[in-house]
Amino acid sequence: VSTQSFFFFFFFFFPPSATVDSVEYISSKVKFMKEETEEIKREMGYVKSRDARFRQTSESTYNRVWALGLGQIALLVGLSLYQLHSLKHFLLAKKVV
């Protein structure tokens, strides 16, 4: 926005006959909106950091659960093979087979 258009806007809506009170009122409103904007920025930064931390925690948990699942499958296959091996030797020892 150019300075010229700003002055046009300002003088169109607030002629030079505007009182000091109205200028102070507008100034206080602008200051309030600026503070509110800054607060919203801070809150959005906080929400963004919490979201990033939540995403990191979720991905970490997913990876650990996936690794634990693979470990359980490996353990299940290992124990199954051990049981088959033990059963084979037991049956051979008893001369059932």
Side-chain angles (χ1 to χ4, degrees), residues 84-97:
L84 287 174
H85 178 67
S86 297
L87 181 63
K88 178 181 174 184
H89 284 290
F90 174 75
L91 293 176
L92 287 175
K94 296 291 181 179
K95 298 185 183 187
V96 175
V97 178

Side-chain angles (χ1 to χ4, degrees), residues 42-97:
R42 282 192 305 273
E43 288 178 6
M44 289 304 295
Y46 175 69
V47 168
K48 202 175 194 180
S49 67
R50 281 191 60 188
D51 183 51
R53 184 174 180 209
F54 176 73
R55 184 177 299 119
Q56 182 182 13
T57 303
S58 295
E59 289 174 2
S60 172
T61 302
Y62 171 78
N63 289 335
R64 285 184 288 171
V65 167
W66 191 77
L68 183 62
L70 283 180
Q72 287 178 341
I73 290 171
L75 183 64
L76 179 65
V77 169
L79 287 176
S80 297
L81 292 175
Y82 174 73
Q83 283 184 340
L84 287 174
H85 178 67
S86 297
L87 181 63
K88 178 181 174 184
H89 284 290
F90 174 75
L91 293 176
L92 287 175
K94 296 291 181 179
K95 298 185 183 187
V96 175
V97 178

Side-chain angles (χ1 to χ4, degrees), residues 19-57:
T19 63
V20 174
D21 291 337
S22 63
V23 172
E24 287 177 0
Y25 175 75
I26 299 288
S27 176
S28 69
K29 287 294 184 185
V30 168
K31 184 179 177 184
F32 174 75
M33 290 191 321
K34 185 177 178 182
E35 290 170 355
E36 288 294 314
T37 303
E38 291 299 320
E39 185 177 339
I40 289 171
K41 279 182 176 178
R42 282 192 305 273
E43 288 178 6
M44 289 304 295
Y46 175 69
V47 168
K48 202 175 194 180
S49 67
R50 281 191 60 188
D51 183 51
R53 184 174 180 209
F54 176 73
R55 184 177 299 119
Q56 182 182 13
T57 303

